[in-house]
Amino acid sequence: TGEYKTEIRLDYTTGRIYIWQRALKAFLKKPFLGYGPQGDRIALIRDKTNIPTTSRHIWDNNASNGLIYVGLCAGILGIIILLSIYLLFLINILKSLFVLKVFKSNDFFIKNSVTLIIMFMIRSIYENSFTVFSIDFIVILISFSYIIKYMEKNNSQVRD
């Protein structure tokens, strides 16, 4: 006869919290330079044998978070660079929203560019998103380029 043990946990992150805990332990082993390209896969596969079978949902070796991914790949330096990029995006998004008031503009592309960057920045909490070279990354670059061009065109309103 087989016995089944059922454990009820509320986890709205589909195991990501547990993956991030494992990632933090791996990060602390190599905090300065990380594990290199695809560092999340290298770091997280190492401890798969330590995961009990009742926790199969966290057997993933994908960081599922942009900041954690960069930390595992490039260490503290990578985190500093990514946070600088986030800050650059945030400053320009805030300028476009509050100084240029882009959503009052008739420019369809500027509205979508701002919306896409905000969406991908929020999405990077639960996905690697634009930290991995992907279609997200290309969309972010094109959107950010358009915002910069829009700001240059409307430079008199952007000056500090």
Side-chain angles (χ1 to χ4, degrees):
T1 67
E3 288 186 31
Y4 293 97
K5 180 180 176 184
T6 304
E7 183 178 333
I8 298 173
R9 287 189 202 176
L10 290 177
D11 181 8
Y12 299 105
T13 64
T14 60
R16 284 175 170 84
I17 297 294
Y18 303 106
I19 293 168
W20 299 340
Q21 289 171 344
R22 291 174 47 225
L24 177 61
K25 289 177 186 173
F27 171 78
L28 293 174
K29 291 178 184 173
K30 288 187 155 192
F32 298 107
L33 297 176
Y35 293 84
Q38 297 292 309
D40 59 337
R41 303 204 187 283
I42 296 165
L44 295 175
I45 201 166
R46 291 183 180 177
D47 72 343
K48 277 190 173 186
T49 56
N50 298 327
I51 300 172
T53 55
T54 57
S55 300
R56 289 182 189 258
H57 65 288
I58 62 167
W59 282 36
D60 197 2
N61 53 351
N62 179 340
S64 295
N65 176 289
L67 196 57
I68 292 171
Y69 174 79
V70 167
L72 289 173
C73 292
I76 292 170
L77 181 62
I79 290 172
I80 290 169
I81 291 170
L82 181 62
L83 289 176
S84 299
I85 292 169
Y86 278 171
L87 187 61
L88 177 69
F89 285 167
L90 182 63
I91 289 168
N92 284 291
I93 291 296
L94 292 174
K95 279 183 181 178
S96 69
L97 290 173
F98 297 110
V99 176
L100 293 174
K101 301 184 183 341
V102 294
F103 285 109
K104 290 183 178 180
S105 161
N106 289 330
D107 190 328
F108 170 82
F109 295 108
I110 191 66
K111 292 176 187 177
N112 283 305
S113 294
V114 169
T115 303
L116 285 169
I117 290 177
I118 292 170
M119 182 189 75
F120 283 124
M121 286 180 73
I122 292 169
R123 183 173 171 234
S124 73
I125 294 169
Y126 285 99
E127 293 296 335
N128 291 349
S129 198
F130 67 90
T131 56
V132 179
F133 190 81
S134 63
I135 192 69
D136 295 4
F137 183 77
I138 294 169
V139 170
I140 288 284
L141 285 180
I142 292 169
S143 297
F144 192 67
S145 298
Y146 192 83
I147 290 171
I148 297 301
K149 289 293 183 191
Y150 185 87
M151 288 180 158
E152 287 173 358
K153 182 178 159 188
N154 297 289
N155 195 21
S156 62
Q157 295 176 352
V158 178
R159 288 192 186 124
D160 295 331

